[in-house]
Amino acid sequence: MAYKELKRACYEANLELNTLGLVIYTFGNVSAVDRDRGTFAIKPSGVAYDALRPEDIVIVDFDNQVVEGKLRPSSDTKTHAWLYRSWEGIGGIAHTHATYSVSWAQAQMDIPILGTTHADHLTEDVPCAPPMSDELISGNYEHNTGRQITDCFRERGLDYGEVPMVLLGNHGPFTWGDSAAKAVYHSKVLEEVARMAFLTRQINPGAPRLKEALIRKHYERKHGKSAYYGQ
Amino acid sequence: MAYKELKRACYEANLELNTLGLVIYTFGNVSAVDRDRGTFAIKPSGVAYDALRPEDIVIVDFDNQVVEGKLRPSSDTKTHAWLYRSWEGIGGIAHTHATYSVSWAQAQMDIPILGTTHADHLTEDVPCAPPMSDELISGNYEHNTGRQITDCFRERGLDYGEVPMVLLGNHGPFTWGDSAAKAVYHSKVLEEVARMAFLTRQINPGAPRLKEALIRKHYERKHGKSAYYGQ
Amino acid sequence: MAYKELKRACYEANLELNTLGLVIYTFGNVSAVDRDRGTFAIKPSGVAYDALRPEDIVIVDFDNQVVEGKLRPSSDTKTHAWLYRSWEGIGGIAHTHATYSVSWAQAQMDIPILGTTHADHLTEDVPCAPPMSDELISGNYEHNTGRQITDCFRERGLDYGEVPMVLLGNHGPFTWGDSAAKAVYHSKVLEEVARMAFLTRQINPGAPRLKEALIRKHYERKHGKSAYYGQ
Amino acid sequence: MAYKELKRACYEANLELNTLGLVIYTFGNVSAVDRDRGTFAIKPSGVAYDALRPEDIVIVDFDNQVVEGKLRPSSDTKTHAWLYRSWEGIGGIAHTHATYSVSWAQAQMDIPILGTTHADHLTEDVPCAPPMSDELISGNYEHNTGRQITDCFRERGLDYGEVPMVLLGNHGPFTWGDSAAKAVYHSKVLEEVARMAFLTRQINPGAPRLKEALIRKHYERKHGKSAYYGQ
């Protein structure tokens, strides 16, 4: 019963992926971390959303060992574990194969920051990490997927607190936040931003990046020290 | 209780944005004016649509002072106030981040008038006001957003009564009408017109503007002195 | 009570436009003819679908005179009247501003026959009648709209029985059939065919017209003398 | 009563096509085979999904003779029969006119493998069989449709067990699996993969095929001897 609340939060965040139209079948997974115990709750592998029950959620530690649960955890578990271990400030992670996000990932392109909808959430282009080398793929694949993400952030000097999302080249998006619900929120925002960027560049292939003053203004009014958005 | 009816109208118009698929999360706001008192009702900042109650609606005057309400009003309140002050004939204003409307705004392009669906509602291309100067952005941003809109209309010689919508470059649409419900109606029409214009130019990049005779005919039969559309 | 059944059929066909996602607000109308009496039932002008009741349907004769009903008939009534008068074999007519159909109309292009989905319903490209001359627009507009359609069919040698749909340049689609329900069916098929043709040409701008043998085969197996589709 | 269970499985799979948004009206059909008896259950021709009842499902043998049922079977029955006869390992077949799948078929192009969503299900581009010769079309059309599919697989050296889907040029998709439900699953996956491939190439016309190491890795982790996806 120790993990009842964590499982419930994880379960609801997984269902929300489905409600928001970000997944079909089993194409996605969400986890929620318990920092005090060094464990996280994650969706079991290959279980359909409409069959999922809170008690099916699996508890795993940062070494990928199952702590509680009868089902096999998501095949992407090692990616989640690596991200939790590397980035201490995150509380939840979401992974989907949402249409527009995946399409940018398959195009192997960053999503350019083209408007205030984007700047309300992050000040950078959404980074697209390159596909892994053959060596990393044939090795500890899901673990290396996590490393590919953190390597990308380190090389580009990005802050995971300010850039709560990434595209993995040819694969799809990973997003995070201070909770599982917030990670899912970022998956939805990313999908909408990806769709708008696609349409913008179709309408005007030369549409420029958003000017710096607007990027700062919109980000700061929601997330800055003197933020005045929300209650 | 003085504002009960106004709050209700504002509340319902805000929910309608959600019902019509024009917003996700808190990406939009609608206001409704009381011309006699010089105040308007507006959505509180950052409150989700499914959590919103009529009594949460905030009453503000044209100097942006809260007259009634416990919550902080929309971060875009000053834009609404400026528009109400400048344009005496409008009764409601809507702002969204609807997908196709935002995409044209991010493309920094007017939406060309390409068919009768557009001409049934306005006789001009939907104007896209340019992004503001850095000085205006770092100043009284939301107030200046309103000025950017009215400046655009003055410079182009547009009549807000005949052009009930605008795109703000890199941001998104603002629409208005004689009531909050009508402002929302214009947001929906704009989104559909924006989508059709996108598709038309994809199918035929050289698709011409609608001929003047059709523009006048369709606008006049709905809005002219001898209008014969509707009951 | 004489027209109770006709009004009901017309009412249900109008609601079906809404159910099928072919209209927003009041952007469409359907009529159903009574050939014996030389009258037809049509949607009243500007009435929202969710407010529409069977008794609101208006009965009009082929000279556009209201025979029964308290409301003003659709502003497009004269177009319907002309088509019923010109083409004796049709039982119902539908007009919408459906997104993809309108986009091809705004592009002023016929929808090419690119696959068997199209050929299952008609053997020709969907014709796009050109926008009217200024003289015709400033004259008896809705009547002339009907003439523009029948002129297009006569000049191209098209048979309204085999081509149950047309795009009116810069405006949108009109479809028909042996009943109001069938006219609405053709509006939905047209919208889907229009969407597929748009996507096909985006994927492969040089995608060729369907070969003649497939056109004949698919049309004949559903509509020919030896048709074997259906029960 | 002998076929009660088979009819039920076939009925439910047909309804699922509709639930998943893969068909409008009667634009699709699913069948389920009984290998022991050499028969299969298939949707009756031209019956709307919301009017379909389990007892309407028709039982046919591999020579296209109706074994049980009062209605005429799908006009595509001979295509199903040929595939069941040719490919002994399949248990169900689905055919749709789903939008994106048809659009690639109309473009007469294979769907390139561009990401892991695709590689999770098959290791090859989705093949597009060319339209048939006029001789085959005017002959035993639906039977020859089946042959066109198996010829395509033989000529390209494809394994129907590893490539559970095909586009028929200018027509649309056929998919299969070890059950009718799995065939429908593959129709949905195909539609999503087709949509992502369309968007990817719009964003980046030069987007490359997925690298071989990722193709193998993703396919093997779900379908290989050491698969570790699912329960």
Side-chain angles (χ1 to χ4, degrees):
Chain A
M1 299 288 286
Y3 290 106
K4 193 174 178 186
E5 200 175 334
L6 191 69
K7 285 181 181 176
R8 168 62 64 174
C10 177
Y11 164 76
E12 287 177 354
N14 272 286
L15 288 202
E16 183 73 358
L17 279 191
N18 199 31
T19 303
L20 292 170
L22 297 171
V23 290
I24 58 169
Y25 297 116
T26 60
F27 295 14
N29 46 70
V30 187
S31 65
V33 81
D34 180 331
R35 288 284 170 194
D36 292 337
R37 308 197 198 197
T39 55
F40 61 95
I42 192 164
K43 182 176 175 293
S45 182
V47 175
Y49 291 100
D50 56 7
L52 191 67
R53 300 168 306 167
E55 57 266 35
D56 295 331
I57 300 295
V58 188
I59 306 294
V60 187
D61 68 20
F62 294 177
D63 295 319
N64 306 303
Q65 300 305 307
V66 171
V67 172
E68 190 176 304
K70 293 175 184 164
L71 298 173
R72 192 189 293 185
S74 165
S75 58
D76 296 315
T77 295
K78 290 180 182 173
T79 310
H80 291 245
W82 176 260
L83 293 178
Y84 283 127
R85 178 181 288 198
S86 305
W87 292 342
E88 294 190 358
I90 61 179
I93 298 169
H95 170 52
T96 78
H97 285 231
T99 312
Y100 289 88
S101 305
V102 165
S103 297
W104 281 92
Q106 292 188 161
Q108 298 186 0
M109 289 172 65
D110 295 352
I111 302 176
I113 182 166
L114 296 173
T116 62
T117 315
H118 188 135
D120 281 338
H121 298 91
L122 67 163
T123 62
E124 306 282 346
D125 295 350
V126 178
C128 180
M132 282 181 266
S133 69
D134 287 8
E135 212 176 347
L136 291 176
I137 292 167
S138 64
N140 195 350
Y141 177 65
E142 290 81 6
H143 174 77
N144 291 339
T145 297
R147 296 188 79 116
Q148 190 79 353
I149 293 171
T150 54
D151 284 356
C152 170
F153 270 60
R154 199 186 56 247
E155 284 162 20
R156 296 195 189 197
L158 297 174
D159 177 344
Y160 72 83
E162 297 200 349
V163 180
M165 52 188 70
V166 72
L167 301 176
L168 200 71
N170 292 120
H171 188 158
F174 282 84
T175 64
W176 48 86
D178 54 20
S179 67
K182 199 60 180 283
V184 170
Y185 170 84
H186 284 139
S187 286
K188 180 69 177 175
V189 168
L190 169 55
E191 181 67 1
E192 186 62 16
V193 163
R195 191 177 171 210
M196 287 172 170
F198 158 71
L199 290 168
T200 302
R201 286 283 164 91
Q202 293 284 311
I203 294 170
N204 181 1
R209 273 184 106 245
L210 188 61
K211 63 193 296 186
E212 198 56 31
L214 271 175
I215 294 177
R216 295 315 316 177
K217 178 64 195 177
H218 268 263
Y219 190 75
E220 296 297 334
R221 76 173 191 163
K222 277 191 94 164
H223 307 281
K225 275 183 298 187
S226 312
Y228 52 92
Y229 182 93
Q231 300 300 325
Chain B
M1 300 287 285
Y3 289 106
K4 194 174 177 188
E5 201 175 333
L6 191 70
K7 284 180 181 176
R8 167 63 63 173
C10 177
Y11 164 76
E12 286 177 355
N14 272 286
L15 288 202
E16 183 74 357
L17 280 191
N18 198 31
T19 303
L20 292 170
L22 296 171
V23 290
I24 59 169
Y25 296 116
T26 61
F27 294 14
N29 45 71
V30 187
S31 66
V33 81
D34 180 332
R35 287 284 169 193
D36 292 338
R37 308 197 198 198
T39 55
F40 61 96
I42 193 164
K43 182 176 174 294
S45 182
V47 175
Y49 291 100
D50 57 5
L52 190 67
R53 299 167 307 166
E55 58 265 36
D56 295 332
I57 300 295
V58 188
I59 305 295
V60 188
D61 67 21
F62 293 177
D63 294 320
N64 305 302
Q65 300 304 307
V66 172
V67 171
E68 191 177 303
K70 293 174 183 164
L71 298 173
R72 192 189 293 185
S74 165
S75 58
D76 296 314
T77 295
K78 289 179 182 174
T79 311
H80 291 245
W82 176 259
L83 294 179
Y84 283 128
R85 177 182 288 198
S86 304
W87 291 342
E88 294 189 358
I90 62 178
I93 298 170
H95 170 53
T96 79
H97 285 231
T99 313
Y100 290 87
S101 305
V102 164
S103 297
W104 280 93
Q106 292 188 162
Q108 299 187 359
M109 288 172 66
D110 296 352
I111 303 176
I113 181 167
L114 296 173
T116 62
T117 315
H118 189 136
D120 282 337
H121 297 92
L122 67 162
T123 62
E124 306 281 346
D125 296 350
V126 179
C128 181
M132 282 181 266
S133 70
D134 287 8
E135 212 176 348
L136 291 176
I137 293 168
S138 64
N140 194 350
Y141 177 64
E142 290 82 4
H143 173 77
N144 291 338
T145 298
R147 296 188 77 116
Q148 190 78 353
I149 293 171
T150 53
D151 284 357
C152 170
F153 270 59
R154 199 186 56 246
E155 285 162 19
R156 296 195 188 198
L158 297 174
D159 177 344
Y160 72 83
E162 297 200 349
V163 180
M165 52 187 70
V166 71
L167 301 177
L168 200 71
N170 291 121
H171 188 159
F174 282 83
T175 64
W176 46 87
D178 54 20
S179 66
K182 198 61 181 281
V184 170
Y185 170 84
H186 284 139
S187 286
K188 180 68 176 177
V189 168
L190 169 56
E191 180 66 2
E192 186 62 16
V193 162
R195 191 177 171 211
M196 287 171 171
F198 159 71
L199 290 167
T200 301
R201 286 283 164 90
Q202 292 285 311
I203 294 170
N204 180 1
R209 274 184 105 244
L210 187 61
K211 62 193 297 187
E212 197 59 29
L214 272 176
I215 293 177
R216 295 316 317 177
K217 177 64 195 179
H218 268 264
Y219 190 75
E220 296 296 335
R221 76 174 192 163
K222 278 190 93 164
H223 307 282
K225 276 184 296 186
S226 312
Y228 52 93
Y229 181 92
Q231 299 300 324
Chain C
M1 300 289 286
Y3 289 107
K4 195 173 177 187
E5 201 176 333
L6 191 70
K7 284 181 181 176
R8 167 63 63 175
C10 177
Y11 164 77
E12 287 178 353
N14 272 285
L15 288 201
E16 183 75 357
L17 279 191
N18 198 31
T19 304
L20 292 170
L22 296 171
V23 290
I24 58 169
Y25 297 116
T26 61
F27 294 14
N29 45 72
V30 187
S31 65
V33 80
D34 180 333
R35 287 284 169 193
D36 293 337
R37 308 197 200 198
T39 55
F40 61 94
I42 193 163
K43 182 175 174 293
S45 182
V47 175
Y49 291 100
D50 56 6
L52 191 67
R53 300 167 306 167
E55 57 266 36
D56 295 332
I57 300 295
V58 188
I59 305 295
V60 187
D61 68 21
F62 293 177
D63 294 320
N64 305 302
Q65 300 305 307
V66 172
V67 171
E68 191 177 303
K70 293 175 183 162
L71 298 173
R72 193 189 292 185
S74 164
S75 58
D76 295 315
T77 295
K78 290 180 183 174
T79 310
H80 291 245
W82 176 259
L83 293 179
Y84 283 128
R85 177 181 288 198
S86 305
W87 291 341
E88 294 190 359
I90 61 179
I93 298 170
H95 170 54
T96 78
H97 285 232
T99 312
Y100 289 88
S101 305
V102 165
S103 297
W104 281 92
Q106 292 189 161
Q108 299 187 358
M109 288 172 66
D110 296 350
I111 303 176
I113 182 166
L114 296 172
T116 62
T117 315
H118 188 136
D120 282 337
H121 297 90
L122 67 162
T123 62
E124 306 282 346
D125 295 351
V126 179
C128 181
M132 281 180 267
S133 69
D134 286 9
E135 212 176 347
L136 292 176
I137 292 167
S138 64
N140 194 351
Y141 178 64
E142 290 81 6
H143 173 77
N144 292 338
T145 297
R147 296 189 78 117
Q148 190 78 353
I149 293 171
T150 54
D151 284 357
C152 170
F153 271 60
R154 199 186 57 245
E155 284 162 19
R156 296 195 189 197
L158 297 174
D159 177 345
Y160 71 82
E162 297 201 349
V163 179
M165 53 187 70
V166 71
L167 301 176
L168 200 71
N170 290 122
H171 188 158
F174 283 83
T175 65
W176 48 87
D178 55 20
S179 67
K182 198 60 180 283
V184 170
Y185 170 84
H186 284 139
S187 286
K188 180 67 176 177
V189 167
L190 169 55
E191 181 67 2
E192 186 61 16
V193 163
R195 191 178 172 210
M196 287 172 170
F198 158 71
L199 290 166
T200 301
R201 286 283 164 91
Q202 293 285 310
I203 294 170
N204 180 1
R209 274 183 105 244
L210 187 61
K211 63 193 297 186
E212 197 57 31
L214 272 175
I215 293 177
R216 296 313 319 174
K217 178 64 194 178
H218 268 264
Y219 190 76
E220 296 297 334
R221 77 174 191 163
K222 277 190 95 165
H223 307 282
K225 275 184 295 186
S226 313
Y228 52 93
Y229 182 91
Q231 300 300 325
Chain D
M1 299 288 286
Y3 289 107
K4 194 173 176 187
E5 201 175 333
L6 191 70
K7 285 181 181 177
R8 167 64 63 176
C10 177
Y11 163 77
E12 287 177 354
N14 272 286
L15 288 201
E16 184 74 357
L17 279 191
N18 199 31
T19 303
L20 292 169
L22 296 172
V23 289
I24 58 168
Y25 297 116
T26 60
F27 295 15
N29 46 72
V30 186
S31 66
V33 81
D34 180 333
R35 288 283 170 195
D36 293 337
R37 309 197 198 196
T39 54
F40 61 95
I42 192 164
K43 182 175 175 294
S45 183
V47 175
Y49 291 101
D50 56 6
L52 191 66
R53 300 167 306 168
E55 57 266 38
D56 296 331
I57 300 295
V58 189
I59 305 295
V60 188
D61 68 21
F62 294 176
D63 294 320
N64 305 303
Q65 299 305 306
V66 171
V67 171
E68 190 176 304
K70 293 174 183 163
L71 298 173
R72 194 188 293 185
S74 165
S75 57
D76 296 315
T77 295
K78 290 180 182 174
T79 311
H80 291 245
W82 175 260
L83 294 178
Y84 283 128
R85 178 180 288 197
S86 304
W87 292 341
E88 294 190 357
I90 61 179
I93 298 170
H95 170 53
T96 79
H97 285 231
T99 312
Y100 289 88
S101 305
V102 165
S103 297
W104 281 93
Q106 293 188 161
Q108 299 187 0
M109 289 173 65
D110 295 352
I111 303 176
I113 183 167
L114 296 172
T116 61
T117 315
H118 188 136
D120 281 337
H121 297 91
L122 67 163
T123 63
E124 306 281 347
D125 296 351
V126 179
C128 181
M132 282 181 265
S133 69
D134 287 7
E135 212 175 348
L136 291 176
I137 293 167
S138 64
N140 195 351
Y141 178 64
E142 290 81 6
H143 173 78
N144 291 338
T145 297
R147 296 188 77 116
Q148 190 78 353
I149 292 172
T150 54
D151 284 357
C152 170
F153 271 59
R154 199 186 55 244
E155 283 162 21
R156 297 196 188 196
L158 297 174
D159 177 343
Y160 72 83
E162 297 201 348
V163 180
M165 54 187 70
V166 71
L167 301 176
L168 199 70
N170 291 120
H171 188 158
F174 283 84
T175 64
W176 48 87
D178 54 21
S179 67
K182 199 60 180 283
V184 170
Y185 170 85
H186 283 140
S187 286
K188 180 69 176 175
V189 167
L190 169 56
E191 181 67 1
E192 186 62 16
V193 163
R195 191 177 172 210
M196 287 171 169
F198 158 71
L199 290 167
T200 301
R201 286 282 164 92
Q202 293 285 310
I203 294 170
N204 181 1
R209 272 183 107 244
L210 187 61
K211 64 193 296 188
E212 198 57 30
L214 271 175
I215 293 176
R216 296 316 316 176
K217 178 65 195 178
H218 268 264
Y219 190 76
E220 296 297 334
R221 78 175 189 162
K222 277 191 94 164
H223 307 281
K225 275 184 297 187
S226 313
Y228 51 93
Y229 182 92
Q231 298 301 323

